[in-house]
Amino acid sequence: MGRALAQSQTRVMLSENLELLRLSQRSPTLLESLPSGSRRSLTSAFAKLETPELWMTYENLFLACLANSDDKSASECLERITSRFGPANERVMGLRGLYEEALAENETALEGILQGYNTVLKENPVNLPILKRRVALLRSMSRSADASAALVDLLNAFPVDAEAWCELSDLYISQGLHSQAVFCLEEALLISPNAWNLHAKLGEVYYASTTLSDNSETTLRILAESVKRFCRSIELCDNYIRGYYGLHMSTSRLLELMNIKSGSKVSDDIPAQETLQGLQNVSRTKLQDFVTRHAYAVAPNEGQGVLCAVEQLLENPNKAES
């Protein structure tokens, strides 16, 4: 299920990359026009010009230049930020770490940067930017187990970081640890209970954990929980196509397994077949409406990847599931 819908992210990523490219191309002009603040200049006329937006502009420009290999402009942005806030500022340390990672030429250089992060964290275990950079670096080095351990350290220090819980869930999923991934998403939902995308993500994890299972009572219960999560996601966001997509697949699979078990007693925790069929019909109708809107260009901004995934599901549910 996730494989088909993941294609929809391509257009978003391309759009973001184009924005970064446009911003980096303007870097020489922007750097000339922006004031290069420093601590000593705050008593000057520049102090009247300094705003939080100025430094966010510098940071965004730094990231854009780095993403498009304009290392010279990125370095200039970083030096101006460092001059203003000082090298010991935690956010500045995180940006400098990112810069060094981007310029690293081999695995040995990355290992050196990682050791530097560990040294900083020995002195200050709650340096959040460095904690996050360490996780990102370990993931980029394909060290999922170490990245998971680093995220656990981060969450021990900052347990209400919903984004970190979601990232840890993704790492567990990549390692096939679905029960741990479920726990992480449930923790994230305690922090953001109305995040419909997290409810749908949890439904997907439940669903994925049953795809290789037989039609046992446990599988039925897990699928029922998956249906429940998808229902909650569309309750919170009526037009959330990913929620309807998951609801259609989870109800279809649950009905299929219940038909196989026909004649056997089904737990009271499992919704009645009539209820599941009703939910399946609702999701199918919503998905068909989505395809129709695209056909008549009513919603031209929707991702084409999502459209292809929905069309595939409606035409051949079994193929979409694989």
Side-chain angles (χ1 to χ4, degrees):
M1 173 167 54
R3 185 192 315 170
L5 279 176
Q7 298 172 0
S8 66
Q9 298 176 0
T10 303
R11 287 172 62 88
V12 176
M13 292 173 63
L14 287 174
S15 176
E16 291 177 349
N17 288 339
L18 285 174
E19 288 299 321
L20 289 174
L21 178 60
R22 293 191 188 101
L23 184 57
S24 66
Q25 288 173 339
R26 296 169 52 208
S27 60
T29 304
L30 287 172
L31 286 171
E32 288 181 5
S33 63
L34 291 173
S36 55
S38 66
R39 289 181 173 180
R40 288 180 297 179
S41 66
L42 289 180
T43 57
S44 68
F46 166 69
K48 299 178 181 179
L49 300 175
E50 185 182 23
T51 63
E53 290 74 19
L54 169 66
W55 300 107
M56 285 305 301
T57 299
Y58 267 123
E59 186 170 328
N60 291 334
L61 185 58
F62 165 76
L63 296 173
C65 293
L66 209 56
N68 290 282
S69 301
D70 186 357
D71 300 333
K72 181 179 178 181
S73 296
S75 177
E76 175 66 20
C77 292
L78 182 59
E79 289 307 315
R80 293 189 186 187
I81 295 172
T82 304
S83 175
R84 168 62 182 87
F85 296 100
N89 179 276
E90 292 184 0
R91 194 175 185 91
V92 173
M93 294 171 72
L95 294 176
R96 185 163 295 280
L98 178 60
Y99 179 77
E100 292 174 353
E101 290 175 37
L103 268 61
E105 297 181 351
N106 50 48
E107 194 83 5
T108 302
L110 291 175
E111 286 288 350
I113 296 169
L114 182 60
Q115 290 303 317
Y117 290 159
N118 291 333
T119 300
V120 171
L121 292 173
K122 285 181 181 178
E123 299 175 358
N124 180 11
V126 292
N127 186 322
L128 183 58
I130 296 300
L131 283 168
K132 291 191 172 185
R133 288 282 4 121
R134 182 173 64 166
V135 172
L137 179 54
L138 287 168
R139 293 196 72 172
S140 71
M141 297 169 71
S142 301
R143 293 167 56 176
S144 297
D146 291 336
S148 299
L151 265 173
V152 170
D153 290 340
L154 188 157
L155 286 165
N156 284 335
F158 301 94
V160 293
D161 189 331
E163 183 180 348
W165 282 113
C166 293
E167 187 173 0
L168 183 56
S169 173
D170 288 339
L171 279 169
Y172 283 141
I173 291 171
S174 70
Q175 299 171 72
L177 304 173
H178 291 99
S179 59
Q180 289 90 329
V182 166
F183 173 82
C184 293
L185 288 173
E186 288 176 340
E187 289 294 316
L189 281 168
L190 288 176
I191 302 165
S192 303
N194 294 326
W196 57 84
N197 59 321
L198 292 186
H199 283 284
K201 179 67 174 178
L202 186 51
E204 291 173 9
V205 176
Y206 277 124
Y207 180 90
S209 67
T210 67
T211 53
L212 299 178
S213 303
D214 56 17
N215 57 325
S216 65
E217 191 72 19
T218 300
T219 300
L220 293 178
R221 287 200 187 95
I222 294 174
L223 280 171
E225 186 64 28
S226 177
V227 170
K228 174 184 173 182
R229 294 298 181 170
F230 285 123
C231 285
R232 181 57 176 158
S233 74
I234 61 177
E235 179 185 10
L236 291 167
C237 182
D238 181 59
N239 293 318
Y240 191 47
I241 295 302
R242 194 177 189 112
Y244 287 106
Y245 186 102
L247 181 60
H248 189 283
M249 293 197 67
S250 57
T251 52
S252 297
R253 179 164 168 76
L254 187 51
L255 284 168
E256 177 186 350
L257 294 182
M258 290 176 71
N259 288 333
I260 294 175
K261 287 179 66 69
S262 59
S264 303
K265 179 176 174 55
V266 177
S267 170
D268 294 336
D269 298 334
I270 311 300
Q273 287 194 358
E274 294 78 8
T275 301
L276 293 172
Q277 288 169 349
L279 291 172
Q280 185 185 51
N281 292 336
V282 168
S283 62
R284 188 173 187 85
T285 299
K286 200 75 174 182
L287 293 173
Q288 288 172 335
D289 290 343
F290 175 77
V291 173
T292 302
R293 290 202 311 272
H294 274 77
Y296 291 97
V298 174
N301 294 325
E302 300 282 3
Q304 291 300 312
V306 175
L307 177 61
C308 293
V310 171
E311 288 178 335
Q312 184 184 57
L313 175 65
L314 294 175
E315 292 172 3
N316 191 338
N318 293 329
K319 184 177 179 181
E321 183 175 332
S322 62

